[in-house]
Amino acid sequence: MAKVPGLKLSKNEVSQRINLKELFGVSFAGQSALAQLIGQAMIDKIIERTGNNKSVDGNALRRYSKEYTETLDFKAFGKSKDDVNMKLTGQMLGTIDIVEQTANTIKIGWNDDEENAKAYNHNTGDTVPKRPFFGLNEKELAEIKERFEPEVQAIRGSTIQSPERTTVADILRGTFFRTIVE
């Protein structure tokens, strides 16, 4: 299995804690909005990859069993036996969230015990076939890092924008407010 830093898999908690300061090499103190954008990008990456039938390793997710494909739920939700995307109702993937945030860390997972239990079962193969979909591996974290490098450069102070060049995106990222305070 690919290395998934900060992954916790237990019946009570399925989560991944990412130290943003370690990942980006800069403190995120006062950059809550940017940290949240990065956290949401992480969640979106998991949902996208899983929707493309890929595990956290990049391998195809294990196919649905014949018994499962013959259930009324499977048929009622219009599932396809060839589209293993971990979505019956969409509830499990749809409720992944940022469950904790500090100045320099983001933790993604579930605040819902039932959805957490489903995720645990799929990731470990506890009561269903093992389909390790949750978390970001080191390669995916590097992609997230690259995607947000321009915003992180602004934190480092190398590309601080003047207020007259501030955009809506800058305000959402929190860089506008940092510039005013400085």
Side-chain angles (χ1 to χ4, degrees), residues 62-66 69 74 78-84:
R62 191 167 168 191
R63 297 182 62 85
Y64 296 128
S65 69
K66 182 177 183 201
T69 62
F74 191 87
K79 298 277 297 166
S80 166
K81 67 178 182 159
D82 298 320
D83 186 18
V84 181

Side-chain angles (χ1 to χ4, degrees), residues 77-137:
F77 284 99
K79 298 277 297 166
S80 166
K81 67 178 182 159
D82 298 320
D83 186 18
V84 181
N85 60 16
M86 308 296 291
K87 290 182 185 174
L88 181 61
T89 65
Q91 192 70 15
M92 182 179 65
L93 291 175
T95 55
I96 300 173
D97 203 357
I98 298 170
V99 295
E100 185 180 304
Q101 181 178 349
T102 67
N104 287 304
T105 63
I106 289 285
K107 183 166 91 170
I108 57 176
W110 286 266
N111 282 320
D112 181 290
D113 292 339
E114 183 178 344
E115 301 309 323
N116 184 83
K118 288 181 199 175
Y120 174 78
N121 287 334
H122 283 289
N123 278 280
T124 64
D126 186 40
T127 62
V128 296
K130 186 175 181 177
R131 295 184 183 95
F133 72 93
F134 183 74
L136 295 169
N137 61 45

Side-chain angles (χ1 to χ4, degrees), residues 20 23-24 28 33-49 136 138-156 159 169 172-173:
L20 298 174
L23 181 64
F24 290 96
F28 276 72
L34 178 57
Q36 287 177 14
L37 285 172
I38 293 168
Q40 187 59 53
M42 292 174 177
I43 292 167
D44 293 346
K45 181 70 174 173
I46 293 167
I47 292 170
E48 176 187 1
R49 176 187 8 91
L136 295 169
E138 290 175 325
K139 179 182 174 200
E140 291 168 326
L141 287 171
E143 291 169 2
I144 296 283
K145 180 181 177 183
E146 183 178 330
R147 175 177 167 191
F148 285 94
E149 193 57 37
E151 290 85 353
V152 173
Q153 285 293 348
I155 294 173
R156 289 186 183 104
T159 60
L172 292 173
R173 290 185 192 107

